[in-house]
Amino acid sequence: MADFIQRSVADDRIKAKYAKTDAARLEKMLVDQICEAAGGPCTYSGRDMKQAHTDMGVTAAEFDAQVEVLGASLDHFNVSQAEQDELLGLLAPMRDDIVEVESQETGTPLPAAFQPAPPLS
Ligand code: HEM
């Protein structure tokens, strides 16, 4: 997960969105969300996908870029295409809760209205 976050904050198409984010919290929440979706034993305790991405101004093309970065990270760890497709099948339905702007622009700024989740205490 650290590899995925590092790739995300290094990618010019999406990195602006992470400017206010607590990386330790994000890492824990991503692990728990995927672990819970895969059948446990973890429990995801973060915000729902709509709340987490509200006022982030994520575009359609930025969503696709984020999925591509995930694929690059999974390739790095030799995750098979079949397993990647299974994960993408879980993520695809979340798109409507995350994309706020139906445009092909990438690298759009993080709106000032965005309120990050509090860091882990
Ligand atoms: C299917 C795709 C996605 C999934 C499953 C997902 C999942 C998550 C999860 C579980 C969190 C943690 C929420 C919390 O801390 O309570 C989160 C936060 C975040 N996501 Fe996503 N995300 C997706 C797409 C995107 C995209 C496309 C972007 C930007 C281009 C993005 C940027 C962020 C950022 C910046 C945060 C941190 C928010 C904060 O600081 O509070 N995500 N995401």
Side-chain angles (χ1 to χ4, degrees), residues 3-84:
D3 177 80
F4 169 65
I5 293 173
Q6 277 163 26
R7 286 172 192 264
S8 298
V9 301
D11 192 301
D12 288 339
R13 296 172 298 174
I14 51 178
K15 66 182 183 191
K17 304 302 184 188
Y18 290 90
K20 293 185 179 173
T21 291
D22 181 64
R25 175 186 168 109
L26 181 61
E27 178 159 7
K28 174 183 164 43
M29 293 308 175
L30 291 173
V31 168
D32 285 352
Q33 187 194 46
I34 290 178
C35 170
E36 184 180 89
C42 324
T43 305
Y44 175 63
S45 62
R47 295 171 158 187
D48 69 42
M49 288 300 93
K50 181 133 192 113
Q51 196 191 7
H53 302 91
T54 287
D55 291 332
M56 208 183 273
V58 172
T59 70
E62 286 163 349
F63 183 87
D64 294 343
Q66 184 73 79
V67 168
E68 190 188 303
V69 168
L70 177 61
S73 179
L74 295 173
D75 283 344
H76 177 70
F77 293 108
N78 297 313
V79 175
S80 73
Q81 197 55 53
E83 285 172 313
Q84 293 193 28

